[in-house]
Amino acid sequence: MLLSALRITNLQKAGRPLAPPLTGAAHGGGVQLRVKTSSGAGERLSQSKSMVLQDCDLQPQKPISRHRRNQSQHGVAGAGATGTSVDLQGEYLNKAKISEDGKKQRKNWMTTWVVLDAHQLTFYKESKQEVLANLKPGCKPERVDLCGAVVDWTTEKSRRKNVLQITTHTGSEYLLQADSYTTICKWYDAIKKTVNSLSNGSAGLGSGKPGLGRSNSTECLPKHSSLPGYGLVSPSTKQRSMVYRRSINMFTSSKLKHSISDSADKSGVKSRLKKFIIRRPSMKVLQEKGLIKDRVFGCHLLTLCEREGTTVPSFVKLCLETVEQRGLTVDGIYRVSGNLATVQKLRFMVDQEEELDLDASQWEDIHVVTGALKMFFRELPEPLFPFRFFELFVEAIKTKDLRQKVQAVKKLIHQLPQPNLDIMTLLFGHLQRVLACATKNLMSSQGVSIVFGPTLMWPEKETGNMAFNMLYQNQIVEFILMESHEIFNLDK
């Protein structure tokens, strides 16, 4: 600058005109040169240096090489690179955990102190300063690893506004929400940058330091908007991170399945199970050896009578005899239910063909005996009134003439198999003796029919109105009960 001032002073002394000042139009936007001349000899000339842009300055700059060997320092990349992680010291947000390792959980919102660091989110029940100050031993914070996680806005998982969703690589899902849209956007940007930085670092794109790209890349790293609807990474980077996460999940699942199958094969569990299934004895062999005994409850009536060599099962005879000995005058006999656990215990003993004494103290409640008898009839594969006779009995009970109705029902009953006929004759004769004590046990013919109607007969397939079927069941049993002397020839 001093040399330029001396040169101008010499030109003025020599009487030569000065060149016109340069303008920005001539040189692409340069700053005009200003010169001040002094009126006095003692005054010093002052001028400003020209700021004209040269052609070399207008040339586009070459992209910076990202290879470490071409850099003197590793922090050459701009601060706005995609992989830069942002740490947030802490703020109160609303958090809800809706899934853990792929298993859905009940959504429960709670206010928590959230801290973001280089690789994870930490949730405190209170601020970190309060935790350090109180030093509570049981207050362990909840940490969420952001490596391989996915962050996105959501409107389906919650009715609240300003909700973002974080899905970890293990399948856990978290919702974060804030009342302020600016606040939640700040956290969305920071978490998204941290996730992208961890994905790039774990995928082998560099040493994990922000700003470093692939070793052969000479592309400038673009800046992206972090508003909702825009990604923080380029499509190629996002695709790479998704492929990386998918490969981790596939590797983990395949490794677990492979290890389980290997352990099963090594111990020979599969082969031993196959051999056992092939060599297992049949039901008939087990019954012959006495390991499995024939059941009484749930057994077909004809099969049970053939096995016992009688037309009336011994359990039915024993129950009817016990009720006639000490239950005819009991209030609500057959209507009142006994203790179900005790009834099941009695049933188990009968099925195991153990020695049974219904006069024992554990069967003191007569309602347990009547409950077991009703259960026996209800669990028959085919009811006491066989399926093929159901519609015939319904048509017979519709007969208006009493004499014809009695003869029609009597004819059908005597067409039944012999075990069914003998059991029915013994049972209805017993119920007649129950009705004879109606003043003491308060059981009427209608009450007995309501109990035994659906117990002794039901259709094979529930067709039509169930209420009408039940009505016919009760009417048929009540009519047989009232006309049992004529139908079964009880007088003889």
Side-chain angles (χ1 to χ4, degrees):
M1 184 181 292
L2 181 60
L3 293 176
S4 299
L6 293 175
R7 182 173 177 273
I8 293 172
T9 304
N10 294 333
L11 290 175
Q12 287 178 345
K13 289 181 180 180
R16 298 179 182 178
L18 293 173
L22 297 175
T23 62
H27 292 273
V31 181
Q32 185 176 354
L33 178 66
R34 296 177 295 171
V35 179
K36 291 184 180 181
T37 57
S38 60
S39 57
E43 293 183 0
R44 185 175 61 184
L45 294 175
S46 64
Q47 64 177 344
S48 60
K49 184 180 179 181
S50 175
M51 300 296 292
V52 178
L53 296 177
Q54 303 298 327
D55 293 339
C56 60
D57 297 331
L58 298 176
Q59 301 269 346
Q61 295 183 357
K62 295 182 179 180
I64 301 174
S65 175
R66 299 301 181 196
H67 202 282
R68 284 191 176 185
R69 290 175 295 184
N70 298 332
Q71 298 177 358
S72 59
Q73 295 179 353
H74 299 329
V76 178
T82 307
T84 305
S85 62
V86 178
D87 294 351
L88 294 180
Q89 295 302 319
E91 192 168 2
Y92 280 109
L93 298 176
N94 296 321
K95 185 261 295 186
K97 187 175 184 180
I98 60 176
S99 177
E100 182 175 4
D101 298 336
K103 297 181 180 179
K104 292 185 179 181
Q105 291 188 342
R106 184 178 180 181
K107 181 169 57 180
N108 186 17
W109 287 99
M110 61 180 300
T111 304
T112 181
W113 183 263
V114 187
V115 177
L116 173 66
D117 55 23
H119 64 281
Q120 65 183 4
L121 271 174
T122 307
F123 300 117
Y124 298 91
K125 292 185 178 180
E126 51 192 5
S127 66
K128 195 172 182 180
Q129 290 78 9
E130 295 176 357
V131 172
L132 296 176
N134 296 333
L135 295 177
K136 295 180 180 180
C139 296
K140 291 186 178 181
E142 182 179 3
R143 292 182 171 83
V144 178
D145 187 9
L146 296 179
C147 182
V150 178
V151 185
D152 203 352
W153 298 97
T154 180
T155 56
E156 300 177 355
K157 301 297 179 67
S158 176
R159 296 181 180 178
R160 297 191 179 192
K161 297 180 180 179
N162 309 329
V163 180
L164 64 88
Q165 178 179 347
I166 303 172
T167 306
T168 65
H169 70 280
T170 60
S172 299
E173 296 178 351
Y174 297 84
L175 300 180
L176 290 182
Q177 187 265 346
D179 296 334
S180 172
Y181 180 73
T182 306
T183 302
I184 200 64
C185 277
K186 174 184 67 176
W187 281 90
Y188 176 87
D189 297 343
I191 297 173
K192 192 79 173 179
K193 290 180 180 179
T194 303
V195 169
N196 183 66
S197 174
L198 294 172
S199 300
N200 290 342
S202 60
L205 301 181
S207 60
K209 296 182 180 181
L212 292 179
R214 289 176 294 180
S215 59
N216 296 331
S217 174
T218 57
E219 301 175 357
C220 296
L221 300 178
K223 296 180 180 180
H224 299 276
S225 173
S226 59
L227 293 176
Y230 294 90
L232 287 174
V233 294
S234 63
S236 60
T237 307
K238 189 172 183 179
Q239 184 177 3
R240 288 196 303 269
S241 62
M242 291 298 292
V243 171
Y244 167 73
R245 286 192 293 271
R246 196 182 303 117
S247 64
I248 288 179
N249 295 335
M250 291 176 64
F251 173 76
T252 305
S253 60
S254 63
K255 185 176 180 181
L256 289 176
K257 292 178 180 178
H258 183 67
S259 61
I260 293 173
S261 61
D262 284 351
S263 60
D265 291 336
K266 288 179 180 179
S267 58
V269 173
K270 288 184 178 180
S271 59
R272 283 188 287 176
L273 283 175
K274 289 180 180 179
K275 292 179 180 178
F276 172 76
I277 293 173
I278 294 173
R279 295 182 303 176
R280 66 177 180 175
S282 63
M283 186 70 67
K284 185 178 180 180
V285 174
L286 293 176
Q287 290 176 354
E288 291 176 354
K289 292 182 177 180
L291 299 177
I292 295 181
K293 297 182 180 180
D294 294 327
R295 296 179 301 169
V296 175
F297 283 75
C299 181
H300 199 281
L301 199 57
L302 295 177
T303 305
L304 180 60
C305 290
E306 288 179 1
R307 190 172 73 221
E308 295 184 357
T310 181
T311 56
V312 179
S314 58
F315 176 71
V316 175
K317 289 182 181 179
L318 186 59
C319 289
L320 296 180
E321 292 174 358
T322 304
V323 173
E324 291 188 3
Q325 289 175 4
R326 54 188 179 94
L328 290 179
T329 59
V330 175
D331 186 10
I333 190 69
Y334 287 113
R335 186 183 70 241
V336 178
S337 300
N339 183 270
L340 183 58
T342 311
V343 172
Q344 292 289 359
K345 184 178 180 181
L346 177 58
R347 170 189 174 172
F348 177 79
M349 293 183 64
V350 172
D351 282 338
Q352 295 298 317
E353 297 182 0
E354 297 183 10
E355 186 177 353
L356 186 62
D357 181 14
L358 293 181
D359 293 329
S361 59
Q362 57 181 338
W363 320 123
E364 182 180 2
D365 186 5
I366 194 63
H367 298 298
V368 172
V369 179
T370 57
L373 179 63
K374 291 185 290 184
M375 181 180 289
F376 171 82
F377 285 116
R378 283 196 300 265
E379 294 196 1
L380 288 174
E382 190 174 20
L384 187 61
F385 289 79
F387 291 132
R388 63 183 183 274
F389 286 91
F390 183 84
E391 295 296 336
L392 298 176
F393 275 104
V394 172
E395 293 298 327
I397 204 66
K398 292 180 181 179
T399 306
K400 295 183 179 180
D401 185 71
L402 179 60
R403 186 65 184 171
Q404 293 180 359
K405 185 188 297 186
V406 171
Q407 293 301 323
V409 172
K410 182 178 181 180
K411 183 179 179 180
L412 289 175
I413 289 178
H414 285 276
Q415 291 178 0
L416 296 175
Q418 193 62 40
N420 299 63
L421 178 59
D422 292 346
I423 295 173
M424 203 174 293
T425 303
L426 184 64
L427 177 63
F428 279 95
H430 165 74
L431 294 178
Q432 279 288 337
R433 289 184 283 276
V434 171
L435 292 179
C437 302
T439 55
K440 296 181 180 180
N441 58 38
L442 304 179
M443 290 296 293
S444 63
S445 60
Q446 186 178 5
V448 173
S449 64
I450 291 174
V451 173
F452 281 95
T455 302
L456 300 180
M457 64 183 308
W458 59 86
E460 186 175 7
K461 296 181 180 179
E462 291 292 344
T463 57
N465 195 335
M466 295 180 60
F468 279 102
N469 290 338
M470 185 174 293
L471 178 63
Y472 287 129
Q473 292 166 356
N474 299 346
Q475 287 182 357
I476 292 169
V477 171
E478 185 177 8
F479 180 78
I480 296 175
L481 185 59
M482 298 301 297
E483 303 295 334
S484 57
H485 289 276
E486 176 66 23
I487 295 174
F488 298 106
N489 299 322
L490 296 181
D491 295 336
K492 296 181 180 180

